[in-house]
Amino acid sequence: MTMSTAYPLDSLKAHPPYLAPAYVASRTRSPRRPLVIIPHTLSELSGPVYGHESVRDLDNDLTRQHDGEPLGQRIVVRGVVMDEDGRPLPGTLIEIWQANAAGRYIHAVDQHPAPLDHNFTGAGRCVTDPKGRYSFTTIKPGAYPWRNHPNAWRPNHIHFSLFGPSFLTRLVTQMYFPGDPLIPLDPIACSVDEKARERLIAKFDIATTVPEWALGFRFDLILRGRSATPFEEPRS
Ligand SMILES: [Fe+2]
């Protein structure tokens, strides 16, 4: 466990409200009463520490988890995880999960008629290095339908979960791809205000692109503060 300095109690300005009526599930998930503010104690100001021994070197390569290669556009997503003052955060566990190239999750609940890919599970993880850097190799996820509203399709996205230095720096969010026409139609992305939403969209990066191999995208994350990477879920 590590001790951290104090955090402002109100660090939610970057995040969407709990209730975003166009995102239908938020109507039942959002609180009906004002939140109870509880002073921070060691339970909030400390956090778990992850060692490299529990995360294997290949856990960040989703294209090499099976005998064959998954179908789809191979991509590299890399970036830096920072705190609200722009300092890199080493030792931060990042977990990702995503649909395959056809937009299908390997999950019993996902039964929409798109093919599974037996060479793609769609989950990976890594720990940021001493400079706060991370990198994943994967395939570009497809868009998929959901039943939030008529003809609703989620934009291409990768789910991200991060544990920073304290439990207050926990972040669960989604990374989108630049130029996706589904983003302005998506109630989850649009529950985040337009300016903050830009922080959820990766940038195409020719310097990350690997010749003859994979397109590269850059996605930096900021944990807490006014410039924080927004949560995926509507908040108050
Ligand atoms: Fe998803």
Side-chain angles (χ1 to χ4, degrees):
M1 304 282 277
T2 56
M3 265 299 289
S4 182
T5 52
Y7 290 91
L9 282 172
D10 181 7
S11 182
L12 303 174
K13 291 188 172 57
H15 306 298
Y18 279 116
L19 177 62
Y23 178 17
V24 172
S26 78
R27 297 177 197 168
T28 48
R29 288 181 190 163
S30 52
R32 293 285 174 273
R33 298 182 187 183
L35 300 187
V36 176
I37 303 296
I38 299 172
H40 296 158
T41 64
L42 195 61
S43 310
E44 291 77 36
L45 299 176
S46 57
V49 174
Y50 300 94
H52 285 280
E53 70 281 356
S54 56
V55 177
R56 293 165 299 178
D57 283 347
L58 278 180
D59 284 357
N60 69 340
D61 190 340
L62 286 71
T63 68
R64 295 169 69 184
Q65 296 175 340
H66 299 275
D67 290 340
E69 283 211 71
L71 295 170
Q73 172 68 63
R74 198 183 290 114
I75 61 173
V76 173
V77 178
R78 74 177 179 93
V80 177
V81 182
M82 291 166 277
D83 70 10
E84 54 196 299
D85 297 317
R87 292 173 296 204
L89 290 174
T92 291
L93 178 70
I94 307 179
E95 298 164 294
I96 64 168
W97 62 100
Q98 63 168 93
N100 68 23
R104 178 93 183 259
Y105 283 100
I106 191 163
H107 191 283
V109 172
D110 187 351
Q111 294 291 332
H112 98 271
L116 288 171
D117 183 341
H118 298 294
N119 289 315
F120 191 71
T121 303
R125 59 184 185 163
C126 71
V127 175
T128 55
D129 74 6
K131 293 184 174 175
R133 297 175 299 194
Y134 76 90
S135 172
F136 287 101
T137 301
T138 182
I139 53 101
K140 188 174 181 181
Y144 58 81
W146 62 315
R147 292 173 179 159
N148 184 77
H149 56 275
N151 209 7
W153 290 78
R154 294 296 330 279
N156 310 73
H157 63 277
I158 298 176
H159 295 266
F160 272 70
S161 163
L162 288 87
F163 285 88
S166 86
F167 287 102
L168 293 173
T169 56
R170 178 94 166 92
L171 175 69
V172 181
T173 195
Q174 299 179 27
M175 184 203 94
Y176 299 96
F177 290 83
D180 190 332
L182 291 169
I183 293 173
L185 304 176
D186 181 54
I188 295 181
C190 291
S191 67
V192 180
D193 84 55
E194 203 171 344
K195 200 168 163 215
R197 197 183 313 149
E198 290 298 315
R199 294 178 219 143
L200 295 178
I201 302 173
K203 293 181 173 58
F204 172 69
D205 185 16
I206 196 69
T208 300
T209 296
V210 184
E212 317 296 326
W213 186 252
L215 292 181
F217 293 89
R218 176 86 189 215
F219 185 56
D220 294 336
L221 297 114
I222 299 175
L223 304 183
R224 291 188 66 88
R226 231 172 254 279
S227 302
T229 305
F231 270 79
E232 64 172 5
E233 289 287 329
R235 297 167 65 87
S236 67

